[in-house]
Amino acid sequence: MKFNTKVIHGGQEHDKAYGAVMPPIYQTSTYAQTTPGGHKGYEYSRTHNPTRNALENAFASIENGNYGLAFGSGLAAIDAIIKLLKPGDEVISTNDLYGGSFRLFTKIFQDFGIKFHFIGMQEASNIETFVNKNTKLIWVETPTNPMMNIIDIKAASKIAKANNILLAVDNTFATPYLQKPLDLGADIVMHSATKYLGGHSDAVMGALIVKDKDLANRLYFIQNASGAICGPQDSFLVLRGIKTLHVRMQRHCENGKAIAEFLVKHPKIENVYWPGFVNHPNHEIAKSQMKDFGGMISFTTKGNNYEEAIKTIENLKVFTLAESLGGVESLCGHPASMTHASIPKEEREKTGVVDSLIRLSVGIEDIEDLIVDLKQALG
Ligand SMILES: Cc1ncc(COP(=O)(O)O)c(C=O)c1O
């Protein structure tokens, strides 16, 4: 089945009771048993729920995986991955990453005796320098949030496999429409399904997808034992969102390209970060592992002026200033004070997250309205 068909049908069956085309929202915590253990495959909704299962099958299908798991948020999904580890284990992570992932790693799991190395991975060979006998996980975000760096997943996977290390990729920004990490050698794909997969800014959710049965079973155990699952209503919403992922992503990419090209020529802009530019340092890798370049763009205002950046943000009318990304509507954010506020200033500035940086999640509105909005905000 091709991707555009998978988003609609992948892993789905028509409802067995009445043939409903969409899986019903099974708003139930428990299931009747005729005798202890005499049930129809469902005992308790922390463990399994038919609506969540339909979504989990869709996750697996669109990422070319065998097993999908849905969680109450992206961070809950990441939390489950790190729970595969033990005290003394080490993780090598991209140094430019979502602030909440950094916070989870450094403020929670570091205290449990897990060591994290945050490194630049644009040269994948740099990963090798940090590998030792305790390394159990390589954590890759690509494109990175918010600097839009690109990490070579195939190269990272080669290093992971040679050293018997798990490779997990946060595929939130790219989505499987643009890039399929499992096909490139990753062991685990993670999503904040809150973003493009859901696509309508109406649900908070996380996803994990794997190919390996044993790894899936370990993660299912953690999902059930820790209990950070999502409810049936949100499962339904995200499943519905996935059905239009391909058409939404196509428009996100078209609008993203038009806006990146507009910004780069604007006299009031200093830097534009978007992997579609031929002079983006990782453009060739982006071209080889992504189908297109997405709708996420970061930029700084001329002279890296903080006040100018804030004024621009406040002037925007069609773009809404809000946390999050990946919805049909265009959003803008100020990473230093919003999504990345939990990263110390000197740490975030090392990777380029300066006070004048603005991040855009370009939506699927009419491109003329978006450009007019940016023009007036910058003007
Ligand atoms: C790249 C990335 N990963 C993970 C997360 C965390 O996901 P959630 O907010 O669904 O917990 C986010 C949230 O913004 C994100 O942008």
Side-chain angles (χ1 to χ4, degrees), residues 73-75 98 141 145 170 172-173 190 192 194-195 205 325:
S73 70
L75 279 175
Y98 170 57
E141 210 182 276
N145 180 1
D170 183 337
T172 300
F173 270 33
M190 175 265 151
S192 167
T194 315
K195 310 299 182 328
M205 188 178 292
L325 60 106

